[in-house]
Amino acid sequence: MKEKRDFLRFFDSEDYEKEVPESDEQKKIPPPPFERPYPEDASLIDLVSPEDFKIGKTPFLKLINSRKSRRKYTEESLTLEELSFLLWCTQGLRRALKSGRGVLRTVPSSGAKSPFETYLVINRVEGLEPGLYRYISFSHKLLFIKPIEDAEKTIGELSYNQNFVGKAPVIFYWTAVPYRTEWRYTVLSHKFIAIDLGLICQNLYMACEAINLGTVAIGYYEQNKVDKLFELDAKDEFVVLLAPVGKYPQEKKLTEFFENPKAKAKLEDLKKLVGLYAKDDSKLEFIIKEDQLYAKMGDYMEPFVPYNEAEFAGEYIKGARFILSSKGVVEKVIILTSGDDLVEFLPQKKE
Ligand SMILES: Cc1cc2nc3c(=O)[nH]c(=O)nc-3n(C[C@H](O)[C@H](O)[C@H](O)COP(=O)(O)O)c2cc1C
């Protein structure tokens, strides 16, 4: 694992020549294209032009203060203007360099090489057929690639079963085309590419926040299976990150979830709650450590802050309410998830 850290490091100037080979640029090999070519007869779909955007005027500090990962989306479709805005903010093309050696975009990129393509799985955008698309930034248009069968389920499965991903109206997928950067930066490229990618993704977060949409970066996905679905060669171009986007529902306030008045929870109250609980295949255990109640799910464990003897706030689990019998035995636990869903867990016997 530790040798992989070297990927993040740079070189001292005296080592540079030893470590960094001659580049294709230095060998006078012409630069690669900065957009993946597409069939000449392809019919491209118009997007809303940046000069015509009426959205996205939210003050900057408000965006900074409200940004967070959002994983729950409503059934609402995105408008074509919203999608155009997000594409422009993440990979909009200002101009190609006159030298032909790079492109200037709304996001920075090492050496202006922009080693990415943007693919979209569209489930619900007004006026567009669902399916797989690619952003053609040179003309700010969309290229339809193909329909995706049962997209909601397929995309959820291909995201390590993070099913909320497939439910979003649009899922952004960025592919890397490493040679665009390698052409100049050879072995230095891969750190730069990773940084460039983060900048794009952060622009997506901020652009979403500016127009009341939610997103989350998704680093867990089935690499080979997604590359195959997108018909990528997986060597010169492959998926590197994705991000579902959608309108998000109003968040539930914790005070609405809590039903009992605020009170101090004593250690003897907490002890009654200790045990193993289950909902289908999901198991949840409550334990006490250093006089504090903890929720444990597999390897993950988080402390719970008491609101009263039977109601608690967490982070991953936003809230937990223990329903006690008249004898003070737990009958069930109602969980308020980070996505504002209510899930009931029943007590289990410990194996
Ligand atoms: C590169 C990267 C990969 C991520 N992968 C996932 C993921 O697969 N699933 C997920 O739910 N969140 C994922 N996240 C979101 C983080 O969990 C989230 O940013 C973090 O918990 C901080 O929360 P915040 O974004 O709300 O501030 C990822 C974030 C980044 C930057």
Side-chain angles (χ1 to χ4, degrees), residues 67-71 162 164 201 205 216-220 241:
R67 185 221 59 88
K68 63 176 187 167
S69 294
R70 302 183 193 270
R71 299 178 177 82
Q162 300 184 79
F164 62 88
C201 185
Y205 266 102
V216 51
I218 298 291
Y220 267 69
L241 191 65

Side-chain angles (χ1 to χ4, degrees), residues 254-255 257-271 273 286-295 302-315 317-322:
L254 255 181
T255 44
F257 173 71
F258 293 143
E259 288 186 343
N260 300 304
K262 200 164 168 38
K264 209 168 160 52
K266 295 193 239 31
L267 185 59
E268 66 242 44
D269 301 321
L270 302 184
K271 281 186 180 157
L273 313 176
F286 290 94
I287 59 166
I288 292 180
K289 216 177 95 184
E290 288 159 6
D291 293 353
Q292 181 159 14
L293 188 68
Y294 279 79
E302 71 169 349
F304 265 25
V305 179
Y307 185 74
N308 55 50
E309 300 85 349
E311 295 178 321
F312 299 83
E315 265 174 18
I317 295 175
K318 263 169 70 176
R321 181 160 71 242
F322 291 81

